[in-house]
Amino acid sequence: MLDALAHALAPNAPIARGRGEAAIAEDERRLNALLGEGRATERVRLWTNSRCLVTTRRFACMESFAEAAAASGARGWPVFVRASGGTTVVHRPGILNFSVHDVGPTDAIDITSRFERFTRRLIAGFAAVGVAAETGSVAGSYCDGRFNIVSGGQKIAGTACLVRKRGGWLGVLAHAAISIDGDPHADLAAITEFERALGLDIPYVPASHTTLAAQIRMAR
Amino acid sequence: MTVYYSKEHEWVRVEGDTATVGITDYAQSQLGDVVFVELPAVGKALVQGKDAAVVESVKAASEVYAPISGSVSEVNDALEADPSLVNSAAETDGWFFRMSIGNAAELSGLMDADAYAAFCADL
């Protein structure tokens, strides 16, 4: 299932099996490297990660972050910080990460059009494996936003974006975390515990999330 | 008081030997609802074109670059409590930081309001 979707998204691209912080930082490293080349290019990266929570600088700046991260780590969910926006998400082997690094010569900050192009690609990938999907917000989901990928009214993938400019070149990292299989309830519980320790109380709804495996089962 | 604009969509308001820096209305409109701004530490030496701050919106995270070189003298603490000021008042109350002007000659490479409006119209 993971392989089928990966092939639909990026034929012939290998799936890297990453571990924790290094796998997350690789996206940023690649964006910087491509910006340094100073030529228009697009590269894709398919990868999975070991089990962890990935949060943003906003949360990492909170007073209780170190303590909350240590407690989460002790529960088996180490916390790492990513450069892109949003809120806390889950990485684990049952979640496929799809990153597109897009560098071009422009002074415009056309984030919306980049997101739209990226989500069209994701939706086409889901269609290729027999799952109908669209973009939209899902109330109660973690890292909610209007560029979620939604199937059957439930969030199946979250997206995030990092924008960098270097001397007339715009580099955009668009990233999707796609739930292939596993237990979204356990994911939500881990996020909720971590964010509560930060002092946040975001009312997540377990039924707001689904996986590719669940959607394929329902389609049969 | 003179206001300059960079191609990276920052504005710089110069008053005496101090510059106030923020992102332009165009930039905030492209980023969407701003939820977090990471500001530089007071005293930090900034180099023109290098990272100075980070802004996170509901859509994306983006770096803010120093439009000129100098040293940070003050940051806008109000953004910590209310980052949406960047959306509602990008070029006034939503300023990011104030800095000394390390090299006034760098200002000549920036645009005035008319030139920046024309620059954005071409994007």
Side-chain angles (χ1 to χ4, degrees):
Chain A
M1 203 177 326
L2 184 146
D3 290 336
L5 180 62
H7 182 74
L9 291 170
N12 306 318
I15 302 173
R17 318 281 172 185
R19 283 201 65 79
E21 192 167 24
I24 297 160
E26 178 63 14
D27 263 350
E28 200 178 345
R29 190 198 68 74
R30 289 186 186 206
L31 184 66
N32 290 339
L34 290 174
L35 273 168
E37 289 179 12
R39 63 187 175 91
T41 186
E42 184 200 90
R43 301 276 170 80
V44 301
R45 176 183 177 222
L46 290 163
W47 53 290
T48 60
N49 205 353
S50 53
R51 193 169 98 146
C52 61
L53 298 183
V54 186
T55 196
T56 61
R57 279 188 255 222
R58 174 161 54 125
F59 289 178
C61 286
M62 296 176 81
E63 232 171 66
S64 47
F65 174 75
E67 196 178 328
S72 181
R75 290 190 295 269
W77 290 94
V79 179
F80 304 113
V81 180
R82 67 178 187 271
S84 57
T87 60
T88 310
V89 302
V90 163
H91 282 186
R92 55 178 170 75
I95 289 178
L96 175 67
N97 295 293
F98 178 50
S99 305
V100 175
H101 298 80
D102 185 3
V103 173
T106 178
D107 290 308
I109 312 173
D110 58 342
I111 299 170
T112 299
S113 65
R114 304 293 182 105
F115 254 125
E116 287 170 348
R117 200 162 67 211
F118 182 60
T119 54
R120 277 198 299 272
R121 191 169 183 168
L122 288 163
I123 290 167
F126 280 109
V129 296
V131 171
E134 59 189 344
T135 55
S137 184
V138 179
S141 64
Y142 65 77
C143 201
D144 189 27
R146 70 184 173 102
F147 293 109
N148 291 332
I149 304 297
V150 180
S151 183
Q154 294 171 293
K155 179 171 175 172
I156 194 167
T159 60
C161 194
L162 172 65
V163 179
R164 288 212 165 132
K165 290 188 105 252
R166 294 279 188 279
W169 292 85
L170 181 74
V172 178
L173 161 66
H175 169 260
I178 305 163
S179 295
I180 302 294
D181 54 26
D183 182 6
H185 292 203
D187 297 342
L188 266 181
I191 290 173
T192 300
E193 277 198 85
F194 166 64
E195 291 186 345
R196 280 193 181 147
L198 284 178
L200 303 167
D201 191 14
I202 304 172
Y204 296 121
V205 177
S208 60
H209 288 268
T210 188
T211 64
L212 181 63
Q215 291 304 307
I216 287 177
R217 276 197 304 274
M218 278 196 281
R220 283 179 182 153
Chain B
M1 180 186 77
T2 309
V3 183
Y4 300 90
Y5 298 84
S6 74
K7 286 184 175 180
E8 282 69 39
H9 306 288
E10 290 103 18
W11 56 265
V12 187
R13 190 172 63 235
V14 175
E15 293 163 285
D17 56 2
T18 299
T20 304
V21 177
I23 65 170
T24 65
D25 197 55
Y26 165 83
Q28 72 77 22
S29 70
Q30 296 298 310
L31 286 167
D33 294 343
V34 172
V35 295
F36 174 68
V37 180
E38 187 175 340
L39 297 167
V42 171
K44 182 176 181 182
L46 301 179
V47 177
Q48 186 182 39
K50 301 295 184 189
D51 306 350
V54 175
V55 58
E56 283 185 19
S57 72
V58 291
K59 288 198 292 191
S62 180
E63 285 164 351
V64 175
Y65 305 101
I68 56 173
S69 303
S71 178
V72 177
S73 56
E74 185 182 353
V75 296
N76 186 359
D77 291 327
L79 296 183
E80 187 177 347
D82 185 9
S84 71
L85 276 173
V86 178
N87 296 114
S88 61
E91 301 191 20
T92 53
D93 291 347
W95 61 278
F96 279 34
F97 55 86
R98 294 200 168 102
M99 62 188 294
S100 63
I101 300 171
N103 178 4
E106 288 174 345
L107 292 166
S108 63
L110 302 176
M111 294 174 273
D112 63 17
D114 289 343
Y116 180 68
F119 173 75
C120 287
D122 282 344
L123 295 176

